[in-house]
């Protein structure tokens, strides 16, 4: 006998502000606080589900509209969520894919914004559905093919502290040269057991970053290393770096911008190129794959549109012989749980995933994840396997109200330290 499909009776999208260290990148530096959005759903059978996504103003507008629109709908109506977001947010999605010079995540379109919000509602629905059925999210996605998901240590050049007095502090110290980067990697290795490392580049002259990778190679022989300047280099600089670092790098991530630029670097070096900038939407896949511009797509379930969409992406990549791994942005444990579930069901996940999580000192779940041997176990508890800490959400929401920070802006944050700083145009070198 079939039982009635649970209906959504309540949905909320709560903006929060989470503290963030002064991590440097091609645009500038992370702000002391960055916005995220926590989505909660409740069903008529009393089950609850949680999702997390970007919390900047643009995303919140869509999240609030979708939160009103999902009430009364069946919890399982996941395939209609994108359409519902489109209608309820009343956004035109016919804009051409445009590279966002002010971003670190490739093209910036309304479609991508919609999908980033939909992902949090999809994850929250799967969480609630899993709890209703007593099944983990990975089972709802067809079942895990691995019990542990490997992550890589995400290294950043950084200052010891933010330049403003009221900013959060931590005990990591500065990392502004090869020794600092190696010290940081050592702590990542000691504390979490990460065995591969990614360095966020595009901060200093390429020679300095080449020296940092060489120092990592010496300190951690044989460990996979990656360098990601977020499209900060010209084609000729990319060719030079690729030649100098040779076999030291597992892959080079977004050395330059655009499909043609990446394709040229690939053709002239034979190096594996990974991306979370060149291919970030389904529309970009045909040209990029035809030109062999990328060999590893760093999926981000937020902007690809959720866990099912990530699985679709994985299937397309598999058909073209392109590998898959995972991109990360500043995030908390709800997103990390979602990443871990989807990573566990994707067969062609060939590289350790990125995660910013070790840089965050706060969380919104009662038992924050701990990386052991550089990996997380895939939970078999119902839903995502995390419990929302409502007091923590309330406190971080209160901070969002009090501090009034509404958007992430790495350029403005850098200007606090250097009033002459302007938005760098890419390529920088
Ligand atoms: O947090 O500064 C940062 C990173 O640059 C972040 O935005 C992403 O990880 O999009 C980035 C990337 O991996 O390219
Ligand atoms: Mg990247």
């Amino acid at each position: 006998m079939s039982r009635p499909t649970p209906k959504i009776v309540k949905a909320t999208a709560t903006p929060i502000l989470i503290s963030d260290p002064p991590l440097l990148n091609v645009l500038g530096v992370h702000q002391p606080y960055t916005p995220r959005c926590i989505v909660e759903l409740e069903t008529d059978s009393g089950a609850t589900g949680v999702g997390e996504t970007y919390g900047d103003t643009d995303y919140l507008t869509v999240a609030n509209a979708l939160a009103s629109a999902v009430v009364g709908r069946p919890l399982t109506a996941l395939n209609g969520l994108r359409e519902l977001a489109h209608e309820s947010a009343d956004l035109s999605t016919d804009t051409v894919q445009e590279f966002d010079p002010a971003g670190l995540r490739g093209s910036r379109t309304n479609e991508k914004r919609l999908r980033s919000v939909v992902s949090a509602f999809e994850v929250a629905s799967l969480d609630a559905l899993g709890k209703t059925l007593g099944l983990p999210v990975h089972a709802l996605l067809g079942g895990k093919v691995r019990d542990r998901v490997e992550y890589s240590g995400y290294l950043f050049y950084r200052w010891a502290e933010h330049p403003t007095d009221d900013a959060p502090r931590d005990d990591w110290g500065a990392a502004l040269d090869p020794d600092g980067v190696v010290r940081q990697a050592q702590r990542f290795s000691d504390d979490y057991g990460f065995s591969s490392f990614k360095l966020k580049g595009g901060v200093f002259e390429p020679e300095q970053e080449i020296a940092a990778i060489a120092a990592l190679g010496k300190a951690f022989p044989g460990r996979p290393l990656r360098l990601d300047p977020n499209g900060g280099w010209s084609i000729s600089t990319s060719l030079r770096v690729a030649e100098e670092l040779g076999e030291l790098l597992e892959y080079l991530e977004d050395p330059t911008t655009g499909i043609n630029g990446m394709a040229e670097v690939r053709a002239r070096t034979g190096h594996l190129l990974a991306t979370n900038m060149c291919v970030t939407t389904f529309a970009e896949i045909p040209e990029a794959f035809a030109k062999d511009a990328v060999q590893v797509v760093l999926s981000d379930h937020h902007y690809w549109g959720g866990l099912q969409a990530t699985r679709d992406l994985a299937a397309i990549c598999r058909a073209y012989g392109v590998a898959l791994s995972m991109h990360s942005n500043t995030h908390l444990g709800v997103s990390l749980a979602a990443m871990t579930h989807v990573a566990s069901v994707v067969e062609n996940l060939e590289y350790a995933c990125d995660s910013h999580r070790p840089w965050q000192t706060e969380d919104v779940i009662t038992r924050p994840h701990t990386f052991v041997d550089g990996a997380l176990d895939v939970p078999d508890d119902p839903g995502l396997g995390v419990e929302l800490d409502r007091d923590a959400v309330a406190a971080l929401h209160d901070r969002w109200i009090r501090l009034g920070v509404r958007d992430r802006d790495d350029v403005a944050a850098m200007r606090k330290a250097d009033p002459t700083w302007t938005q760098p145009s890419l390529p920088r070198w």
Side-chain angles (χ1 to χ4, degrees):
M1 198 176 66
S2 66
R3 53 172 155 169
T5 306
K7 283 205 168 34
I8 298 171
V9 291
K10 191 172 170 205
T12 53
T14 308
I16 59 172
L17 269 192
I18 60 176
S19 57
D20 210 9
L23 308 180
L24 299 162
N25 60 33
V26 73
L27 293 183
V29 63
H30 288 206
Q31 298 163 156
Y33 298 100
T34 203
R36 295 292 285 174
C37 173
I38 301 297
V39 168
E40 284 179 83
L41 300 180
E42 198 180 314
T43 71
D44 54 2
S45 56
T48 56
V50 61
E52 174 187 343
T53 189
Y54 298 99
D56 305 69
T57 310
D58 274 5
Y59 297 87
L60 281 185
T61 319
V62 180
N64 286 325
L66 189 53
S68 306
V70 292
V71 173
R73 283 170 56 91
L75 183 62
T76 50
L78 302 178
N79 293 332
L81 279 177
R82 185 250 160 233
E83 204 46 44
L84 188 69
H86 188 202
E87 284 163 20
S88 56
D90 195 21
L91 281 181
S92 155
T93 49
D94 52 11
T95 40
V96 277
Q97 305 292 332
E98 266 178 20
F99 178 72
D100 177 12
L104 300 161
R105 291 180 243 142
S107 61
R108 188 183 180 94
T109 61
N110 284 343
E111 177 64 29
K112 203 157 147 191
R113 177 147 63 104
L114 281 184
R115 284 177 173 268
S116 301
V117 172
V118 164
S119 72
F121 284 80
E122 187 229 37
V123 166
S125 303
L126 290 170
D127 185 30
L129 186 60
K131 287 178 186 158
T132 306
L133 300 173
L135 293 172
V137 164
H138 67 75
L140 304 179
L141 297 170
K144 61 183 178 182
V145 294
R146 55 183 66 81
D147 292 319
R148 297 168 73 245
V149 172
E150 263 192 70
Y151 287 84
S152 70
Y154 199 158
L155 312 175
F156 277 85
Y157 288 111
R158 55 163 293 165
W159 300 325
E161 52 190 49
H162 286 285
T164 45
D165 287 342
D166 50 353
R169 308 230 180 289
D170 64 21
D171 62 359
W172 281 82
L176 295 165
D177 56 20
D179 286 349
V181 169
V182 169
R183 261 198 316 275
Q184 197 182 89
Q186 191 61 58
R187 179 159 165 188
F188 266 129
S189 173
D190 295 345
D191 291 0
Y192 307 113
F194 292 122
S195 56
S196 59
F197 298 106
K198 157 172 165 171
L199 175 63
K200 174 59 56 178
V203 176
F204 295 115
E205 295 281 340
E207 279 61 35
Q208 272 176 264
E209 300 188 351
I210 290 170
I213 292 290
L216 283 170
K218 204 162 157 209
F220 302 95
R223 305 244 200 135
L225 304 175
R226 307 144 183 193
L227 177 57
D228 173 17
N230 278 114
W233 303 331
S234 64
I235 293 176
S236 60
T237 303
S238 305
L239 296 175
R240 182 160 52 82
V241 176
E243 181 165 344
E244 288 198 39
L245 289 177
E247 297 309 306
L248 260 186
L249 288 180
E250 178 180 41
Y251 58 64
L252 194 52
E253 181 172 330
D254 287 309
T256 197
T257 57
I259 291 174
N260 290 332
M262 290 281 280
E264 186 172 341
V265 176
R266 164 69 177 170
R268 293 176 63 183
T269 64
H271 249 46
L272 285 185
L273 302 183
T275 189
N276 65 278
M277 295 176 72
C278 176
V279 178
T280 61
T281 63
F282 288 100
E284 289 161 320
I285 287 179
E287 185 188 349
F289 285 11
K291 292 183 173 169
D292 193 25
V294 303
Q295 293 71 49
V296 186
V297 172
L298 302 172
S299 157
D300 179 317
H301 76 269
H302 306 92
Y303 57 63
W304 284 89
L307 307 189
Q308 298 184 104
T310 304
R311 223 181 26 183
D312 293 346
L313 170 66
I316 297 171
C317 286
R318 198 162 55 236
Y320 282 87
V322 171
L324 197 81
S325 186
M326 223 171 267
H327 162 260
S328 150
N329 233 294
T330 302
H331 67 90
L332 295 178
V334 178
S335 281
L336 186 56
M339 289 162 72
T340 303
H341 277 278
V342 74
S344 80
V345 303
V346 165
E347 275 172 52
N348 49 327
L349 188 92
E350 289 164 33
Y351 299 92
C353 302
D354 289 352
S355 173
H356 281 60
R357 182 62 191 82
W359 290 113
Q360 265 46 72
T361 52
E362 298 159 330
D363 214 326
V364 288
I365 55 176
T366 52
R367 288 181 312 280
H369 299 89
T370 311
F371 295 94
V372 176
D373 295 335
L376 292 179
D377 289 336
V378 181
D380 291 322
D381 305 321
L384 286 174
V386 298
E387 189 192 333
L388 196 62
D389 179 342
R390 293 215 159 71
D391 292 341
V393 175
L396 300 183
H397 177 59
D398 182 58
R399 179 191 280 158
W400 181 85
I401 296 172
R402 276 186 295 109
L403 299 190
V405 178
R406 294 292 176 261
D407 297 293
R408 174 170 163 181
D409 187 342
D410 297 2
V411 177
M414 183 58 119
R415 221 175 276 129
K416 295 242 161 66
D418 173 3
T420 64
W421 186 259
T422 51
Q423 160 93 46
S425 51
L426 303 185
R428 254 177 98 182
W429 291 282

